[in-house]
Amino acid sequence: MTIRVVVADDQELVRSGFAMILDVQEDIEVVAEVGDGAAAVSAVARLAPDVALLDVRMPVLDGIEACRSITARSACRTVMLTTFDSDEYVYEALHAGASGFLLKDVRRDDLVHAVRVVAAGESLLAPSVARRLIEEYTAATVRTPALPAERLEVLTARERETLLHLGRGLSNAEIAAALVVSEHTVKSHVGNVLAKLGLRDRIQAVICAYETGLIAAGTPSGE
C-alpha cells in the first residue's frame, strides 16, 4: 500500500526538500506540494491523501486552522512542522487534531518514519518532541484544569498511572519499565485509557492528563 502525502510549507526549499526525501521511498508518494494552508485544505479535499505535513505558520490560512479543517472533513492525518524557538501555538495544534509534530531540522530517516507511523494510525510522540511540547507549551498555555477530574473515575488505578506517564511523554517501553510490566500489558492499558475516555490517540491523552489536572501545568516530565 502506497502512502499518499501532501506537503505544505511556505518555504520552497523546505517543502521541496521534504517532498524529495519522501518521494524516493517505495511506499510513499507525494501527491502535492503547496505553499499555504488554504491550498493544503484544497489539495486534501481534491486528492484524499493519507497524511498532510503542515507548517504551523503559513500565509492565507495557518497550519493550525488548516489542520482543524482537514481533520474535521477527512480521514487524512496531519503532522505539524514546527520550530520550538518561534512557535507558541503548538498546544492549539494538539486541539486542532494534529497526529504528530516534527522539527524543521528533522533527520531524513525520522521524517520517513514519522509519515509511516502516522499513516498507520498512530500518533508521533517521540520524547525529543513530546517532552518539550509538554514542558514549554502546555505549561505556558494551561493555567487551570479545563476538564472535570471526575472524568478519570472510569479508569482503574493502573490505567490512571498509565495516563500519567502518557502525559509526561513516555514511550510504551519507558512506561513498561516504570510500572514493571511488559510492553504488551502497557499497550493494553493505553488502549483501555483511550477507549474509556473517548480519546483518538496518545496526543489527546497528553491533553487530557493536563486538562483534568492529573499533571499540574509546569511540572517537568519524569516528576
Side-chain angles (χ1 to χ4, degrees):
M1 175 183 171
T2 299
I3 301 169
R4 294 162 51 82
V5 180
V6 166
V7 180
D9 194 300
D10 60 338
Q11 295 179 298
E12 184 178 358
L13 287 178
V14 173
R15 184 173 72 241
S16 61
F18 281 8
M20 187 179 302
I21 291 169
L22 295 172
D23 223 17
V24 297
Q25 307 301 315
E26 291 185 0
D27 59 336
I28 299 175
E29 177 188 4
V30 176
V31 295
E33 297 176 45
V34 297
D36 64 71
V41 173
S42 176
V44 169
R46 186 175 70 255
L47 301 169
D50 303 294
V51 177
L53 298 182
L54 305 173
D55 184 14
V56 169
R57 299 190 177 193
M58 290 187 288
V60 185
L61 189 69
D62 66 37
I64 295 171
E65 290 305 317
C67 174
R68 183 173 289 114
S69 179
I70 288 170
T71 55
R73 301 177 185 179
S74 73
C76 178
R77 294 173 66 82
T78 58
V79 177
M80 308 307 295
L81 304 174
T82 181
T83 55
F84 287 112
D85 290 337
S86 61
D87 294 330
E88 63 259 30
Y89 303 112
V90 177
Y91 188 73
E92 293 180 38
L94 292 173
H95 277 285
S99 294
F101 293 86
L102 291 176
L103 298 178
K104 287 287 190 74
D105 61 356
V106 64
R107 297 186 309 166
R108 178 189 302 261
D109 290 347
D110 290 339
L111 171 64
V112 174
H113 173 70
V115 169
R116 289 172 177 155
V117 166
V118 170
E122 301 293 332
S123 57
L124 188 70
L125 276 175
S128 61
V129 176
R131 287 176 184 158
R132 293 192 64 181
L133 279 173
I134 293 165
E135 292 168 6
E136 297 183 21
Y137 295 102
T138 305
T141 307
V142 182
R143 303 301 180 185
T144 57
L147 294 173
E150 290 77 13
R151 182 179 182 186
L152 304 184
E153 291 179 356
V154 297
L155 303 180
T156 65
R158 185 45 62 93
E159 289 165 355
R160 192 181 179 98
E161 284 183 273
T162 300
L163 177 59
L164 179 68
H165 290 308
L166 285 173
R168 290 171 175 163
L170 272 63
S171 66
N172 281 2
E174 291 170 322
I175 297 174
L179 300 181
V180 195
V181 297
S182 69
E183 286 190 51
H184 177 76
T185 298
V186 170
K187 186 175 181 180
S188 177
H189 288 327
V190 171
N192 289 340
V193 167
L194 300 183
K196 287 183 177 182
L197 297 178
L199 305 174
R200 184 187 65 247
D201 53 33
R202 297 169 74 99
I203 289 182
Q204 287 197 336
V206 171
I207 298 173
C208 182
Y210 279 89
E211 292 198 332
T212 56
L214 182 62
I215 300 177
T219 300
S221 60
E223 288 191 2

PDB file of all heavy atoms in Angstrom, residues 4-42:
ATOM      1  N   ARG A   4       0.001   8.184   0.550  1.00  0.00           N
ATOM      2  CA  ARG A   4      -0.092   9.423  -0.234  1.00  0.00           C
ATOM      3  C   ARG A   4       0.041  10.628   0.694  1.00  0.00           C
ATOM      4  O   ARG A   4      -0.637  10.692   1.727  1.00  0.00           O
ATOM      5  CB  ARG A   4      -1.436   9.450  -0.980  1.00  0.00           C
ATOM      6  CG  ARG A   4      -1.546   8.370  -2.047  1.00  0.00           C
ATOM      7  CD  ARG A   4      -2.972   8.092  -2.480  1.00  0.00           C
ATOM      8  NE  ARG A   4      -3.708   9.297  -2.844  1.00  0.00           N
ATOM      9  CZ  ARG A   4      -3.628   9.898  -4.029  1.00  0.00           C
ATOM     10  NH1 ARG A   4      -2.837   9.383  -4.959  1.00  0.00           N
ATOM     11  NH2 ARG A   4      -4.330  10.978  -4.286  1.00  0.00           N
ATOM     12  N   VAL A   5       0.902  11.558   0.302  1.00  0.00           N
ATOM     13  CA  VAL A   5       1.255  12.671   1.193  1.00  0.00           C
ATOM     14  C   VAL A   5       1.127  14.021   0.493  1.00  0.00           C
ATOM     15  O   VAL A   5       1.504  14.164  -0.683  1.00  0.00           O
ATOM     16  CB  VAL A   5       2.707  12.516   1.709  1.00  0.00           C
ATOM     17  CG1 VAL A   5       3.078  13.671   2.641  1.00  0.00           C
ATOM     18  CG2 VAL A   5       2.883  11.183   2.425  1.00  0.00           C
ATOM     19  N   VAL A   6       0.607  15.001   1.229  1.00  0.00           N
ATOM     20  CA  VAL A   6       0.622  16.405   0.805  1.00  0.00           C
ATOM     21  C   VAL A   6       1.606  17.138   1.704  1.00  0.00           C
ATOM     22  O   VAL A   6       1.563  16.981   2.927  1.00  0.00           O
ATOM     23  CB  VAL A   6      -0.771  17.049   0.917  1.00  0.00           C
ATOM     24  CG1 VAL A   6      -0.682  18.577   0.802  1.00  0.00           C
ATOM     25  CG2 VAL A   6      -1.697  16.502  -0.159  1.00  0.00           C
ATOM     26  N   VAL A   7       2.493  17.919   1.117  1.00  0.00           N
ATOM     27  CA  VAL A   7       3.470  18.694   1.878  1.00  0.00           C
ATOM     28  C   VAL A   7       3.129  20.175   1.744  1.00  0.00           C
ATOM     29  O   VAL A   7       3.062  20.702   0.630  1.00  0.00           O
ATOM     30  CB  VAL A   7       4.907  18.449   1.385  1.00  0.00           C
ATOM     31  CG1 VAL A   7       5.900  19.278   2.201  1.00  0.00           C
ATOM     32  CG2 VAL A   7       5.262  16.972   1.464  1.00  0.00           C
ATOM     33  N   ALA A   8       2.909  20.849   2.885  1.00  0.00           N
ATOM     34  CA  ALA A   8       2.534  22.265   2.866  1.00  0.00           C
ATOM     35  C   ALA A   8       3.502  23.078   3.715  1.00  0.00           C
ATOM     36  O   ALA A   8       3.590  22.899   4.929  1.00  0.00           O
ATOM     37  CB  ALA A   8       1.113  22.437   3.389  1.00  0.00           C
ATOM     38  N   ASP A   9       4.243  23.960   3.069  1.00  0.00           N
ATOM     39  CA  ASP A   9       5.181  24.844   3.763  1.00  0.00           C
ATOM     40  C   ASP A   9       5.441  26.036   2.858  1.00  0.00           C
ATOM     41  O   ASP A   9       5.614  25.874   1.652  1.00  0.00           O
ATOM     42  CB  ASP A   9       6.492  24.102   4.062  1.00  0.00           C
ATOM     43  CG  ASP A   9       7.361  24.838   5.073  1.00  0.00           C
ATOM     44  OD1 ASP A   9       7.746  26.000   4.799  1.00  0.00           O
ATOM     45  OD2 ASP A   9       7.657  24.263   6.137  1.00  0.00           O
ATOM     46  N   ASP A  10       5.449  27.243   3.434  1.00  0.00           N
ATOM     47  CA  ASP A  10       5.639  28.418   2.592  1.00  0.00           C
ATOM     48  C   ASP A  10       7.100  28.640   2.198  1.00  0.00           C
ATOM     49  O   ASP A  10       7.395  29.506   1.377  1.00  0.00           O
ATOM     50  CB  ASP A  10       5.073  29.676   3.257  1.00  0.00           C
ATOM     51  CG  ASP A  10       5.730  29.984   4.587  1.00  0.00           C
ATOM     52  OD1 ASP A  10       6.295  29.058   5.197  1.00  0.00           O
ATOM     53  OD2 ASP A  10       5.681  31.152   5.012  1.00  0.00           O
ATOM     54  N   GLN A  11       8.011  27.857   2.771  1.00  0.00           N
ATOM     55  CA  GLN A  11       9.415  27.929   2.381  1.00  0.00           C
ATOM     56  C   GLN A  11       9.677  26.867   1.321  1.00  0.00           C
ATOM     57  O   GLN A  11       9.646  25.667   1.598  1.00  0.00           O
ATOM     58  CB  GLN A  11      10.329  27.714   3.584  1.00  0.00           C
ATOM     59  CG  GLN A  11      10.217  28.807   4.639  1.00  0.00           C
ATOM     60  CD  GLN A  11      11.136  28.533   5.817  1.00  0.00           C
ATOM     61  OE1 GLN A  11      10.995  27.530   6.495  1.00  0.00           O
ATOM     62  NE2 GLN A  11      12.079  29.425   6.031  1.00  0.00           N
ATOM     63  N   GLU A  12       9.951  27.305   0.119  1.00  0.00           N
ATOM     64  CA  GLU A  12      10.061  26.376  -1.005  1.00  0.00           C
ATOM     65  C   GLU A  12      11.158  25.336  -0.805  1.00  0.00           C
ATOM     66  O   GLU A  12      10.977  24.155  -1.135  1.00  0.00           O
ATOM     67  CB  GLU A  12      10.321  27.145  -2.304  1.00  0.00           C
ATOM     68  CG  GLU A  12      10.349  26.243  -3.533  1.00  0.00           C
ATOM     69  CD  GLU A  12      10.552  27.024  -4.820  1.00  0.00           C
ATOM     70  OE1 GLU A  12      10.630  28.265  -4.752  1.00  0.00           O
ATOM     71  OE2 GLU A  12      10.655  26.376  -5.874  1.00  0.00           O
ATOM     72  N   LEU A  13      12.293  25.741  -0.265  1.00  0.00           N
ATOM     73  CA  LEU A  13      13.397  24.804  -0.074  1.00  0.00           C
ATOM     74  C   LEU A  13      13.038  23.711   0.930  1.00  0.00           C
ATOM     75  O   LEU A  13      13.372  22.541   0.741  1.00  0.00           O
ATOM     76  CB  LEU A  13      14.654  25.546   0.382  1.00  0.00           C
ATOM     77  CG  LEU A  13      15.357  26.393  -0.682  1.00  0.00           C
ATOM     78  CD1 LEU A  13      16.564  27.113  -0.073  1.00  0.00           C
ATOM     79  CD2 LEU A  13      15.797  25.532  -1.861  1.00  0.00           C
ATOM     80  N   VAL A  14      12.357  24.104   1.999  1.00  0.00           N
ATOM     81  CA  VAL A  14      11.925  23.118   2.997  1.00  0.00           C
ATOM     82  C   VAL A  14      10.912  22.171   2.376  1.00  0.00           C
ATOM     83  O   VAL A  14      11.003  20.941   2.514  1.00  0.00           O
ATOM     84  CB  VAL A  14      11.317  23.818   4.231  1.00  0.00           C
ATOM     85  CG1 VAL A  14      10.709  22.785   5.187  1.00  0.00           C
ATOM     86  CG2 VAL A  14      12.371  24.648   4.949  1.00  0.00           C
ATOM     87  N   ARG A  15       9.948  22.759   1.690  1.00  0.00           N
ATOM     88  CA  ARG A  15       8.868  21.971   1.084  1.00  0.00           C
ATOM     89  C   ARG A  15       9.412  20.978   0.062  1.00  0.00           C
ATOM     90  O   ARG A  15       9.086  19.791   0.103  1.00  0.00           O
ATOM     91  CB  ARG A  15       7.884  22.937   0.418  1.00  0.00           C
ATOM     92  CG  ARG A  15       6.661  22.284  -0.167  1.00  0.00           C
ATOM     93  CD  ARG A  15       5.684  23.342  -0.635  1.00  0.00           C
ATOM     94  NE  ARG A  15       6.103  24.059  -1.825  1.00  0.00           N
ATOM     95  CZ  ARG A  15       6.320  25.370  -1.881  1.00  0.00           C
ATOM     96  NH1 ARG A  15       6.161  26.125  -0.815  1.00  0.00           N
ATOM     97  NH2 ARG A  15       6.693  25.943  -3.011  1.00  0.00           N
ATOM     98  N   SER A  16      10.242  21.456  -0.847  1.00  0.00           N
ATOM     99  CA  SER A  16      10.774  20.570  -1.886  1.00  0.00           C
ATOM    100  C   SER A  16      11.742  19.547  -1.312  1.00  0.00           C
ATOM    101  O   SER A  16      11.817  18.415  -1.792  1.00  0.00           O
ATOM    102  CB  SER A  16      11.457  21.401  -2.981  1.00  0.00           C
ATOM    103  OG  SER A  16      12.545  22.145  -2.452  1.00  0.00           O
ATOM    104  N   GLY A  17      12.473  19.938  -0.262  1.00  0.00           N
ATOM    105  CA  GLY A  17      13.399  19.006   0.369  1.00  0.00           C
ATOM    106  C   GLY A  17      12.669  17.848   1.009  1.00  0.00           C
ATOM    107  O   GLY A  17      13.044  16.677   0.833  1.00  0.00           O
ATOM    108  N   PHE A  18      11.605  18.151   1.755  1.00  0.00           N
ATOM    109  CA  PHE A  18      10.803  17.101   2.374  1.00  0.00           C
ATOM    110  C   PHE A  18      10.167  16.208   1.311  1.00  0.00           C
ATOM    111  O   PHE A  18      10.144  14.983   1.438  1.00  0.00           O
ATOM    112  CB  PHE A  18       9.709  17.708   3.257  1.00  0.00           C
ATOM    113  CG  PHE A  18      10.191  18.161   4.600  1.00  0.00           C
ATOM    114  CD1 PHE A  18      11.541  18.175   4.922  1.00  0.00           C
ATOM    115  CD2 PHE A  18       9.297  18.580   5.559  1.00  0.00           C
ATOM    116  CE1 PHE A  18      11.991  18.584   6.166  1.00  0.00           C
ATOM    117  CE2 PHE A  18       9.725  18.995   6.825  1.00  0.00           C
ATOM    118  CZ  PHE A  18      11.074  18.993   7.119  1.00  0.00           C
ATOM    119  N   ALA A  19       9.637  16.833   0.279  1.00  0.00           N
ATOM    120  CA  ALA A  19       8.983  16.081  -0.787  1.00  0.00           C
ATOM    121  C   ALA A  19       9.962  15.144  -1.480  1.00  0.00           C
ATOM    122  O   ALA A  19       9.631  13.988  -1.796  1.00  0.00           O
ATOM    123  CB  ALA A  19       8.360  17.042  -1.793  1.00  0.00           C
ATOM    124  N   MET A  20      11.169  15.622  -1.699  1.00  0.00           N
ATOM    125  CA  MET A  20      12.181  14.815  -2.369  1.00  0.00           C
ATOM    126  C   MET A  20      12.554  13.588  -1.532  1.00  0.00           C
ATOM    127  O   MET A  20      12.672  12.473  -2.050  1.00  0.00           O
ATOM    128  CB  MET A  20      13.436  15.657  -2.631  1.00  0.00           C
ATOM    129  CG  MET A  20      14.492  14.968  -3.474  1.00  0.00           C
ATOM    130  SD  MET A  20      15.920  16.052  -3.738  1.00  0.00           S
ATOM    131  CE  MET A  20      15.115  17.465  -4.512  1.00  0.00           C
ATOM    132  N   ILE A  21      12.717  13.802  -0.232  1.00  0.00           N
ATOM    133  CA  ILE A  21      13.061  12.699   0.672  1.00  0.00           C
ATOM    134  C   ILE A  21      11.970  11.638   0.681  1.00  0.00           C
ATOM    135  O   ILE A  21      12.236  10.433   0.629  1.00  0.00           O
ATOM    136  CB  ILE A  21      13.281  13.226   2.104  1.00  0.00           C
ATOM    137  CG1 ILE A  21      14.561  14.067   2.167  1.00  0.00           C
ATOM    138  CG2 ILE A  21      13.355  12.081   3.108  1.00  0.00           C
ATOM    139  CD1 ILE A  21      14.724  14.832   3.466  1.00  0.00           C
ATOM    140  N   LEU A  22      10.726  12.085   0.739  1.00  0.00           N
ATOM    141  CA  LEU A  22       9.599  11.151   0.827  1.00  0.00           C
ATOM    142  C   LEU A  22       9.319  10.451  -0.491  1.00  0.00           C
ATOM    143  O   LEU A  22       9.001   9.256  -0.522  1.00  0.00           O
ATOM    144  CB  LEU A  22       8.349  11.890   1.300  1.00  0.00           C
ATOM    145  CG  LEU A  22       8.403  12.464   2.721  1.00  0.00           C
ATOM    146  CD1 LEU A  22       7.180  13.332   2.991  1.00  0.00           C
ATOM    147  CD2 LEU A  22       8.496  11.338   3.744  1.00  0.00           C
ATOM    148  N   ASP A  23       9.440  11.167  -1.585  1.00  0.00           N
ATOM    149  CA  ASP A  23       9.026  10.623  -2.877  1.00  0.00           C
ATOM    150  C   ASP A  23       9.924   9.498  -3.375  1.00  0.00           C
ATOM    151  O   ASP A  23       9.512   8.716  -4.240  1.00  0.00           O
ATOM    152  CB  ASP A  23       8.971  11.745  -3.912  1.00  0.00           C
ATOM    153  CG  ASP A  23       7.730  11.662  -4.785  1.00  0.00           C
ATOM    154  OD1 ASP A  23       6.782  10.953  -4.401  1.00  0.00           O
ATOM    155  OD2 ASP A  23       7.719  12.299  -5.853  1.00  0.00           O
ATOM    156  N   VAL A  24      11.139   9.398  -2.855  1.00  0.00           N
ATOM    157  CA  VAL A  24      12.037   8.331  -3.306  1.00  0.00           C
ATOM    158  C   VAL A  24      11.771   7.020  -2.560  1.00  0.00           C
ATOM    159  O   VAL A  24      12.324   5.972  -2.914  1.00  0.00           O
ATOM    160  CB  VAL A  24      13.522   8.726  -3.135  1.00  0.00           C
ATOM    161  CG1 VAL A  24      13.854   9.929  -3.993  1.00  0.00           C
ATOM    162  CG2 VAL A  24      13.871   8.974  -1.681  1.00  0.00           C
ATOM    163  N   GLN A  25      10.909   7.070  -1.534  1.00  0.00           N
ATOM    164  CA  GLN A  25      10.571   5.860  -0.804  1.00  0.00           C
ATOM    165  C   GLN A  25       9.584   5.030  -1.617  1.00  0.00           C
ATOM    166  O   GLN A  25       8.661   5.567  -2.222  1.00  0.00           O
ATOM    167  CB  GLN A  25       9.945   6.206   0.560  1.00  0.00           C
ATOM    168  CG  GLN A  25      10.774   7.152   1.406  1.00  0.00           C
ATOM    169  CD  GLN A  25      12.142   6.611   1.712  1.00  0.00           C
ATOM    170  OE1 GLN A  25      12.303   5.444   2.077  1.00  0.00           O
ATOM    171  NE2 GLN A  25      13.157   7.468   1.583  1.00  0.00           N
ATOM    172  N   GLU A  26       9.785   3.723  -1.625  1.00  0.00           N
ATOM    173  CA  GLU A  26       8.936   2.855  -2.443  1.00  0.00           C
ATOM    174  C   GLU A  26       7.472   2.863  -2.003  1.00  0.00           C
ATOM    175  O   GLU A  26       6.578   2.647  -2.818  1.00  0.00           O
ATOM    176  CB  GLU A  26       9.465   1.421  -2.391  1.00  0.00           C
ATOM    177  CG  GLU A  26      10.802   1.238  -3.103  1.00  0.00           C
ATOM    178  CD  GLU A  26      11.233  -0.210  -3.130  1.00  0.00           C
ATOM    179  OE1 GLU A  26      10.489  -1.064  -2.590  1.00  0.00           O
ATOM    180  OE2 GLU A  26      12.295  -0.494  -3.704  1.00  0.00           O
ATOM    181  N   ASP A  27       7.242   3.117  -0.701  1.00  0.00           N
ATOM    182  CA  ASP A  27       5.873   3.043  -0.180  1.00  0.00           C
ATOM    183  C   ASP A  27       5.240   4.408   0.050  1.00  0.00           C
ATOM    184  O   ASP A  27       4.180   4.515   0.662  1.00  0.00           O
ATOM    185  CB  ASP A  27       5.853   2.248   1.133  1.00  0.00           C
ATOM    186  CG  ASP A  27       6.739   2.868   2.204  1.00  0.00           C
ATOM    187  OD1 ASP A  27       7.699   3.599   1.850  1.00  0.00           O
ATOM    188  OD2 ASP A  27       6.481   2.647   3.398  1.00  0.00           O
ATOM    189  N   ILE A  28       5.876   5.483  -0.417  1.00  0.00           N
ATOM    190  CA  ILE A  28       5.355   6.835  -0.204  1.00  0.00           C
ATOM    191  C   ILE A  28       5.301   7.597  -1.526  1.00  0.00           C
ATOM    192  O   ILE A  28       6.251   7.564  -2.312  1.00  0.00           O
ATOM    193  CB  ILE A  28       6.215   7.619   0.809  1.00  0.00           C
ATOM    194  CG1 ILE A  28       6.215   6.923   2.167  1.00  0.00           C
ATOM    195  CG2 ILE A  28       5.708   9.065   0.961  1.00  0.00           C
ATOM    196  CD1 ILE A  28       7.136   7.565   3.197  1.00  0.00           C
ATOM    197  N   GLU A  29       4.210   8.308  -1.739  1.00  0.00           N
ATOM    198  CA  GLU A  29       4.070   9.145  -2.930  1.00  0.00           C
ATOM    199  C   GLU A  29       3.612  10.540  -2.507  1.00  0.00           C
ATOM    200  O   GLU A  29       2.579  10.683  -1.845  1.00  0.00           O
ATOM    201  CB  GLU A  29       3.037   8.557  -3.888  1.00  0.00           C
ATOM    202  CG  GLU A  29       2.780   9.420  -5.115  1.00  0.00           C
ATOM    203  CD  GLU A  29       1.619   8.934  -5.956  1.00  0.00           C
ATOM    204  OE1 GLU A  29       0.957   7.964  -5.546  1.00  0.00           O
ATOM    205  OE2 GLU A  29       1.363   9.541  -7.010  1.00  0.00           O
ATOM    206  N   VAL A  30       4.370  11.566  -2.868  1.00  0.00           N
ATOM    207  CA  VAL A  30       3.958  12.948  -2.605  1.00  0.00           C
ATOM    208  C   VAL A  30       3.038  13.370  -3.734  1.00  0.00           C
ATOM    209  O   VAL A  30       3.455  13.477  -4.886  1.00  0.00           O
ATOM    210  CB  VAL A  30       5.177  13.893  -2.516  1.00  0.00           C
ATOM    211  CG1 VAL A  30       4.709  15.334  -2.351  1.00  0.00           C
ATOM    212  CG2 VAL A  30       6.076  13.493  -1.345  1.00  0.00           C
ATOM    213  N   VAL A  31       1.781  13.608  -3.400  1.00  0.00           N
ATOM    214  CA  VAL A  31       0.791  13.911  -4.433  1.00  0.00           C
ATOM    215  C   VAL A  31       0.608  15.409  -4.658  1.00  0.00           C
ATOM    216  O   VAL A  31       0.015  15.815  -5.648  1.00  0.00           O
ATOM    217  CB  VAL A  31      -0.573  13.265  -4.099  1.00  0.00           C
ATOM    218  CG1 VAL A  31      -0.445  11.751  -4.117  1.00  0.00           C
ATOM    219  CG2 VAL A  31      -1.098  13.732  -2.748  1.00  0.00           C
ATOM    220  N   ALA A  32       1.134  16.229  -3.734  1.00  0.00           N
ATOM    221  CA  ALA A  32       1.032  17.684  -3.911  1.00  0.00           C
ATOM    222  C   ALA A  32       2.007  18.401  -2.994  1.00  0.00           C
ATOM    223  O   ALA A  32       2.257  17.966  -1.870  1.00  0.00           O
ATOM    224  CB  ALA A  32      -0.396  18.161  -3.640  1.00  0.00           C
ATOM    225  N   GLU A  33       2.550  19.511  -3.490  1.00  0.00           N
ATOM    226  CA  GLU A  33       3.356  20.432  -2.698  1.00  0.00           C
ATOM    227  C   GLU A  33       2.680  21.798  -2.779  1.00  0.00           C
ATOM    228  O   GLU A  33       2.432  22.295  -3.888  1.00  0.00           O
ATOM    229  CB  GLU A  33       4.776  20.550  -3.249  1.00  0.00           C
ATOM    230  CG  GLU A  33       5.598  19.288  -3.234  1.00  0.00           C
ATOM    231  CD  GLU A  33       6.961  19.508  -3.885  1.00  0.00           C
ATOM    232  OE1 GLU A  33       7.604  20.540  -3.581  1.00  0.00           O
ATOM    233  OE2 GLU A  33       7.356  18.668  -4.705  1.00  0.00           O
ATOM    234  N   VAL A  34       2.352  22.379  -1.639  1.00  0.00           N
ATOM    235  CA  VAL A  34       1.655  23.669  -1.635  1.00  0.00           C
ATOM    236  C   VAL A  34       2.311  24.623  -0.643  1.00  0.00           C
ATOM    237  O   VAL A  34       3.029  24.206   0.257  1.00  0.00           O
ATOM    238  CB  VAL A  34       0.162  23.491  -1.283  1.00  0.00           C
ATOM    239  CG1 VAL A  34      -0.539  22.650  -2.336  1.00  0.00           C
ATOM    240  CG2 VAL A  34       0.003  22.851   0.086  1.00  0.00           C
ATOM    241  N   GLY A  35       2.036  25.927  -0.830  1.00  0.00           N
ATOM    242  CA  GLY A  35       2.721  26.933  -0.046  1.00  0.00           C
ATOM    243  C   GLY A  35       1.902  27.658   0.991  1.00  0.00           C
ATOM    244  O   GLY A  35       2.404  28.580   1.641  1.00  0.00           O
ATOM    245  N   ASP A  36       0.629  27.278   1.167  1.00  0.00           N
ATOM    246  CA  ASP A  36      -0.171  27.917   2.211  1.00  0.00           C
ATOM    247  C   ASP A  36      -1.252  26.965   2.702  1.00  0.00           C
ATOM    248  O   ASP A  36      -1.536  25.939   2.077  1.00  0.00           O
ATOM    249  CB  ASP A  36      -0.790  29.229   1.719  1.00  0.00           C
ATOM    250  CG  ASP A  36      -1.782  29.038   0.582  1.00  0.00           C
ATOM    251  OD1 ASP A  36      -2.884  28.513   0.844  1.00  0.00           O
ATOM    252  OD2 ASP A  36      -1.458  29.402  -0.570  1.00  0.00           O
ATOM    253  N   GLY A  37      -1.854  27.319   3.840  1.00  0.00           N
ATOM    254  CA  GLY A  37      -2.827  26.440   4.461  1.00  0.00           C
ATOM    255  C   GLY A  37      -4.084  26.220   3.656  1.00  0.00           C
ATOM    256  O   GLY A  37      -4.635  25.108   3.631  1.00  0.00           O
ATOM    257  N   ALA A  38      -4.557  27.252   2.991  1.00  0.00           N
ATOM    258  CA  ALA A  38      -5.768  27.119   2.188  1.00  0.00           C
ATOM    259  C   ALA A  38      -5.542  26.148   1.034  1.00  0.00           C
ATOM    260  O   ALA A  38      -6.405  25.316   0.718  1.00  0.00           O
ATOM    261  CB  ALA A  38      -6.200  28.483   1.652  1.00  0.00           C
ATOM    262  N   ALA A  39      -4.371  26.239   0.429  1.00  0.00           N
ATOM    263  CA  ALA A  39      -4.039  25.327  -0.666  1.00  0.00           C
ATOM    264  C   ALA A  39      -3.922  23.896  -0.154  1.00  0.00           C
ATOM    265  O   ALA A  39      -4.263  22.945  -0.857  1.00  0.00           O
ATOM    266  CB  ALA A  39      -2.742  25.762  -1.340  1.00  0.00           C
ATOM    267  N   ALA A  40      -3.452  23.750   1.082  1.00  0.00           N
ATOM    268  CA  ALA A  40      -3.340  22.416   1.683  1.00  0.00           C
ATOM    269  C   ALA A  40      -4.719  21.798   1.881  1.00  0.00           C
ATOM    270  O   ALA A  40      -4.939  20.625   1.567  1.00  0.00           O
ATOM    271  CB  ALA A  40      -2.609  22.502   3.017  1.00  0.00           C
ATOM    272  N   VAL A  41      -5.645  22.585   2.410  1.00  0.00           N
ATOM    273  CA  VAL A  41      -7.016  22.103   2.614  1.00  0.00           C
ATOM    274  C   VAL A  41      -7.632  21.687   1.282  1.00  0.00           C
ATOM    275  O   VAL A  41      -8.268  20.637   1.174  1.00  0.00           O
ATOM    276  CB  VAL A  41      -7.879  23.190   3.288  1.00  0.00           C
ATOM    277  CG1 VAL A  41      -9.343  22.758   3.336  1.00  0.00           C
ATOM    278  CG2 VAL A  41      -7.368  23.469   4.704  1.00  0.00           C
ATOM    279  N   SER A  42      -7.417  22.506   0.268  1.00  0.00           N
ATOM    280  CA  SER A  42      -7.956  22.213  -1.059  1.00  0.00           C
ATOM    281  C   SER A  42      -7.341  20.946  -1.638  1.00  0.00           C
ATOM    282  O   SER A  42      -8.040  20.104  -2.208  1.00  0.00           O
ATOM    283  CB  SER A  42      -7.686  23.398  -1.994  1.00  0.00           C
ATOM    284  OG  SER A  42      -8.110  23.121  -3.305  1.00  0.00           O
TER     285      SER A  42
END
